[in-house]
Amino acid sequence: MDERIREHAELLVDWSARIEAGDDVVLSVEEDAHDLAVAVAEVLGERGANVVTTYDSAEVSRAYLRAHDDDFEAPDHELALYENADSVLALRGGRNTYATADVDGETRQAVSRAKQPVREARLATDWVLTVHPTRSLAQQAGMSYEAYRDFVYDAVLRDWESLAEEMQELKEILDAASEVRLVSAGTDLTMSIEGRTAVNSAASVAYDSHNLPSGEVFTAPADTEGTVHFDVPMTIEGSRVRDVTLEFADGEVVDYAADVGEAAIADVLDTDEGARRLGELGIGMNRGIDRVTENILFDEKMGDTVHLALGRAYEACLPEGESGNDSAVHVDLITDVSEDSRIEVDGEVVQRNGRFRWEDGFESA
Amino acid sequence: MDERIREHAELLVDWSARIEAGDDVVLSVEEDAHDLAVAVAEVLGERGANVVTTYDSAEVSRAYLRAHDDDFEAPDHELALYENADSVLALRGGRNTYATADVDGETRQAVSRAKQPVREARLATDWVLTVHPTRSLAQQAGMSYEAYRDFVYDAVLRDWESLAEEMQELKEILDAASEVRLVSAGTDLTMSIEGRTAVNSAASVAYDSHNLPSGEVFTAPADTEGTVHFDVPMTIEGSRVRDVTLEFADGEVVDYAADVGEAAIADVLDTDEGARRLGELGIGMNRGIDRVTENILFDEKMGDTVHLALGRAYEACLPEGESGNDSAVHVDLITDVSEDSRIEVDGEVVQRNGRFRWEDGFESA
């Protein structure tokens, strides 16, 4: 076994999920994430944690969803599993990123709505999502398997404490601010972040950060106005989308277009009320991730990018007792801010053309 | 996909588990049972059942068990999953039948003891265990993959209603009887079955039968006396055993020997008090299974064989309120009764050399 798989497993269990003896862990394994599952199980055994391993197969889901009449429910046994779990470790790594591409949008929405209580129970745990490099993901990235493995481990096996310090600076600026404006080619968007708390996403539940790798600072915007163009290609629920434009008024999407995958965007927007509002503004700061690989877990963390999510806001960004944007979905879209771009916070430029104001090469005007 | 996989899935869901709309099902999938899992998921979707899919990987279990300090517990989340499930469909079909052969006996016993509440919760559901033909199982059977698939589907895709009628005759004889005596080469064993109820195991929970394929009549013996020799080779918890002899006095094993795998037998017997007593007497009646394949699910159902299990008795065989033999284990051993053998029930020969007394060719003396 590649020694990096073992290092990945230790980082996931210890740094990311902070698992201790006696913790009840759900280990969710996609079809080709077997080798990482074996390594994680070994570390969980060493730590004295308990484990239930679930099989998160896209082909099994597809068969079930296509055969069902769409009158879904949140089953007691699934709820009970997650309500009694301390942590959920989700190991992504399938065999075909389009395995569920022929499940129709209405079915996706129906199951997503019905299973909201299950999702909430899962999100209430110390959950962490990570990726095991598979041939399918290498293909999606347009890379050889060998090069893709190097890419994944370069992004994952980092000095997270050091990156956390770097990101703290931006978090403090956002926490103190009222408004963010994003300006780029085809984009001029204003969002309120008044009273919201930014998350220093350092790939650990101790930082309210649930992705490994991570490396972003994100918050929950409101009252969005203007237009945004997303030029980074994406795959949403099995469908490819590219060059998406969203127009906002009074916080809601009032118009949309996409060069590729407009129907997938329409399906997302139709899920529920909250799906038409933003739940997240994220600023990618992981410069270890140096290319788009059509995988949101990596792409949204890439340095010199900004992402916005339609749908559900993360609780960690909201003041105690305040509920942010609620939805059955959370769909990220990404835009490149490395050129002809700026991020303004309360009228001051914090980043221009990908350089932050505390970095060498920042141009103040 | 082989059309027989779809037929297998329908038989499992409809005939065996009797699953209905709204049922909460746990679908347990071994490493190479993926294709059957997809087919079962499709049928569950059509029936409107709910499903949680677990990954029952021997390699994941091995890594966890070897790393753990043996102070296991029955975790809340796993208990909650099974306590809230209506059915468990376990799809066997791994990649290596010896994948856990280097997990030591003490660890197996420790986890088996600690997880007894989980096992009880699972056994309280309408559970069914079946087998998807894999290359590993073909290898264990000494067969080509293609021939092994034919073997499995010949055993599984049967007219179960008709076989159930055939088995009813033996069940009625056993239900009315007090004592069974088994005589064969190296075997002369007497068991009480007073007050016990035999199960007509017709591969359906409607018959208290939990294996697909099935085709046996079994009951819960007590007060075993004498010696039994098991000449059918077996694999117990990853270890091969062959030519096991057990000697019973006052219902308990007082001596044992095996040409191969004696340590595995010793581990089983040491699990707990109940592991030294018999929990099951089963008479194989599935003549569709015509060869030993070193897989208990098939071997014990084979016509012209008898099997006895050390450990836990099945509740279905016991009078209301009476607890039978209790143990963390249930380990079957098989003996061929096709030659120089007889089964006596209350002193009358019911089977001789594999022929039942209601069959052509039965010799009354």
Side-chain angles (χ1 to χ4, degrees):
Chain A
M1 189 181 278
D2 188 327
E3 185 51 36
R4 295 175 298 182
I5 300 177
R6 167 79 196 188
E7 290 171 39
H8 186 177
E10 286 181 347
L11 197 54
L12 175 68
V13 170
D14 296 331
W15 170 263
S16 296
R18 310 280 162 132
I19 285 166
E20 293 175 359
D23 280 358
D24 289 347
V25 180
V26 176
L27 178 61
S28 163
V29 184
E30 285 201 359
E31 288 157 0
D32 263 8
H34 176 82
D35 287 355
L36 181 56
V38 170
V40 171
E42 185 179 31
V43 180
L44 291 174
E46 286 170 3
R47 303 298 176 264
N50 304 311
V51 61
V52 169
T53 308
T54 62
Y55 187 48
D56 188 10
S57 158
E59 290 181 358
V60 168
S61 294
R62 171 190 176 275
Y64 178 78
L65 292 173
R66 282 174 60 98
H68 203 283
D69 68 2
D70 285 7
D71 188 12
F72 296 102
E73 54 191 0
D76 289 344
H77 67 330
E78 192 173 19
L79 263 174
L81 173 66
Y82 290 108
E83 282 172 352
N84 286 280
D86 299 302
S87 301
V88 177
L89 304 179
L91 313 186
R92 293 275 183 275
R95 292 180 191 151
N96 172 5
T97 56
Y98 292 96
T100 61
D102 56 358
V103 176
D104 74 42
E106 273 181 38
T107 300
R108 285 173 204 286
Q109 289 167 36
V111 72
S112 188
R113 273 193 303 268
K115 290 232 180 167
Q116 191 150 347
V118 173
R119 198 169 38 250
E120 280 167 10
R122 204 164 46 217
L123 291 173
T125 70
D126 283 342
W127 62 276
V128 180
L129 180 67
T130 194
V131 168
H132 182 63
T134 67
R135 286 168 180 83
S136 153
L137 293 170
Q139 176 177 321
Q140 168 141 309
M143 295 170 77
S144 72
Y145 178 46
E146 289 72 14
Y148 185 69
R149 282 188 303 190
D150 291 345
F151 166 82
V152 169
Y153 294 120
D154 286 352
V156 167
L157 304 177
R158 290 177 65 80
D159 178 350
W160 289 103
E161 291 210 56
S162 153
L163 184 56
E165 282 173 32
E166 202 183 319
M167 296 190 294
Q168 187 65 16
E169 191 141 6
L170 181 58
K171 170 187 158 56
E172 284 169 12
I173 290 169
L174 295 175
D175 284 354
S178 304
E179 191 182 89
V180 174
R181 182 178 172 207
L182 182 62
V183 182
S184 189
T187 296
D188 191 344
L189 198 75
T190 305
M191 295 155 277
S192 165
I193 57 165
E194 181 75 44
R196 302 298 168 95
T197 305
V199 169
N200 172 351
S201 184
S204 169
V205 297
Y207 288 82
D208 283 316
S209 170
H210 300 270
N211 291 172
L212 176 66
S214 193
E216 59 165 323
V217 176
F218 66 87
T219 187
D223 302 331
T224 312
E225 296 283 345
T227 301
V228 56
H229 178 76
F230 301 99
D231 54 4
V232 174
M234 297 278 303
T235 299
I236 294 176
E237 299 272 330
S239 296
R240 192 176 289 253
V241 303
R242 185 183 285 263
D243 285 310
V244 177
T245 301
L246 300 178
E247 198 183 321
F248 287 85
D250 291 331
E252 279 205 6
V253 174
V254 291
D255 201 7
Y256 65 95
D259 283 5
V260 175
E262 199 167 274
I265 298 293
D267 279 344
V268 168
L269 292 170
D270 282 350
T271 309
D272 49 32
E273 277 292 304
R276 304 182 76 87
R277 287 190 291 268
L278 291 183
E280 182 189 1
L281 157 67
I283 299 170
M285 293 181 69
N286 186 340
R287 293 214 174 100
I289 303 171
D290 59 356
R291 57 191 294 171
V292 174
T293 56
E294 292 229 19
N295 183 332
I296 186 62
L297 193 71
F298 295 85
D299 294 350
E300 68 173 9
K301 314 305 188 320
M302 189 167 40
D304 307 352
T305 67
V306 167
H307 58 278
L308 298 167
L310 291 167
R312 194 175 54 256
Y314 291 108
E315 253 181 52
C317 302
L318 305 168
E320 188 84 21
E322 187 178 317
S323 64
N325 193 36
D326 192 25
S327 173
V329 297
H330 178 97
V331 173
D332 294 282
L333 293 159
I334 307 171
T335 192
D336 184 327
V337 293
S338 64
E339 286 180 6
D340 298 324
S341 303
R342 62 182 193 275
I343 301 170
E344 292 178 12
V345 178
D346 287 349
E348 278 188 49
V349 179
V350 166
Q351 190 203 65
R352 188 188 304 276
N353 303 336
R355 292 279 112 185
F356 287 99
R357 71 180 187 207
W358 56 83
E359 289 185 299
D360 289 346
F362 173 73
E363 295 164 43
S364 60
Chain B
M1 189 182 276
D2 187 328
E3 186 50 38
R4 295 175 298 182
I5 300 177
R6 167 78 196 188
E7 290 171 42
H8 186 177
E10 287 182 347
L11 196 55
L12 176 67
V13 170
D14 297 331
W15 169 263
S16 295
R18 309 282 161 129
I19 285 167
E20 294 175 359
D23 280 357
D24 290 347
V25 179
V26 176
L27 178 61
S28 164
V29 184
E30 286 202 0
E31 289 157 0
D32 263 9
H34 176 82
D35 288 354
L36 180 57
V38 170
V40 171
E42 186 179 32
V43 180
L44 291 175
E46 286 170 3
R47 302 298 176 266
N50 303 311
V51 62
V52 168
T53 308
T54 62
Y55 187 47
D56 188 10
S57 159
E59 289 181 359
V60 168
S61 294
R62 171 190 175 276
Y64 178 78
L65 293 173
R66 282 173 60 98
H68 203 283
D69 68 1
D70 285 7
D71 188 13
F72 296 102
E73 54 191 1
D76 289 344
H77 67 331
E78 192 174 18
L79 262 174
L81 173 65
Y82 291 108
E83 282 171 352
N84 286 280
D86 298 303
S87 301
V88 177
L89 305 180
L91 315 185
R92 292 276 182 273
R95 293 181 190 148
N96 172 4
T97 56
Y98 292 96
T100 62
D102 56 358
V103 175
D104 73 44
E106 273 180 37
T107 299
R108 286 173 202 286
Q109 289 169 35
V111 74
S112 187
R113 273 192 303 267
K115 290 231 179 165
Q116 189 151 347
V118 173
R119 198 169 35 248
E120 280 168 10
R122 203 163 48 217
L123 291 173
T125 71
D126 282 342
W127 63 276
V128 181
L129 179 68
T130 193
V131 168
H132 182 62
T134 67
R135 286 168 180 82
S136 153
L137 293 171
Q139 176 176 321
Q140 168 142 308
M143 295 169 78
S144 73
Y145 178 46
E146 290 70 14
Y148 185 69
R149 282 189 303 191
D150 291 344
F151 165 80
V152 168
Y153 294 121
D154 286 350
V156 166
L157 305 178
R158 291 176 65 80
D159 179 349
W160 288 104
E161 291 210 57
S162 152
L163 184 55
E165 283 174 33
E166 202 183 319
M167 295 190 293
Q168 187 66 18
E169 190 142 7
L170 180 58
K171 172 188 156 54
E172 286 170 11
I173 290 169
L174 295 175
D175 284 354
S178 305
E179 190 182 272
V180 174
R181 182 177 171 206
L182 181 63
V183 182
S184 189
T187 295
D188 190 344
L189 198 74
T190 305
M191 295 156 277
S192 166
I193 57 166
E194 181 75 45
R196 302 299 168 92
T197 305
V199 169
N200 171 352
S201 183
S204 170
V205 297
Y207 288 82
D208 283 316
S209 169
H210 299 271
N211 291 170
L212 176 66
S214 193
E216 60 165 321
V217 175
F218 65 87
T219 188
D223 303 330
T224 311
E225 295 284 342
T227 301
V228 55
H229 178 76
F230 301 99
D231 53 4
V232 174
M234 299 277 304
T235 300
I236 294 175
E237 300 271 331
S239 297
R240 192 176 287 255
V241 301
R242 185 183 285 264
D243 285 311
V244 177
T245 301
L246 300 177
E247 196 183 321
F248 287 86
D250 289 333
E252 279 205 8
V253 174
V254 291
D255 200 8
Y256 65 95
D259 282 6
V260 175
E262 198 168 274
I265 297 294
D267 280 344
V268 168
L269 292 170
D270 282 351
T271 309
D272 50 31
E273 276 291 303
R276 306 182 76 86
R277 286 191 291 269
L278 291 183
E280 183 190 0
L281 157 68
I283 298 170
M285 293 182 68
N286 186 338
R287 293 215 174 100
I289 304 171
D290 58 356
R291 56 191 295 171
V292 174
T293 57
E294 293 228 17
N295 184 332
I296 186 61
L297 194 71
F298 295 86
D299 293 350
E300 68 172 10
K301 314 306 187 319
M302 189 167 39
D304 307 352
T305 67
V306 167
H307 57 280
L308 299 168
L310 291 166
R312 195 176 51 256
Y314 291 108
E315 254 182 51
C317 302
L318 305 168
E320 189 86 21
E322 187 178 319
S323 65
N325 192 37
D326 193 25
S327 173
V329 297
H330 178 98
V331 173
D332 294 282
L333 293 159
I334 307 171
T335 194
D336 184 326
V337 292
S338 64
E339 287 179 8
D340 297 325
S341 302
R342 64 183 192 275
I343 302 171
E344 291 179 13
V345 178
D346 286 349
E348 279 188 49
V349 179
V350 166
Q351 191 203 66
R352 188 188 305 274
N353 303 335
R355 292 280 113 184
F356 286 101
R357 71 181 187 205
W358 57 84
E359 289 186 299
D360 289 345
F362 173 73
E363 294 163 46
S364 58

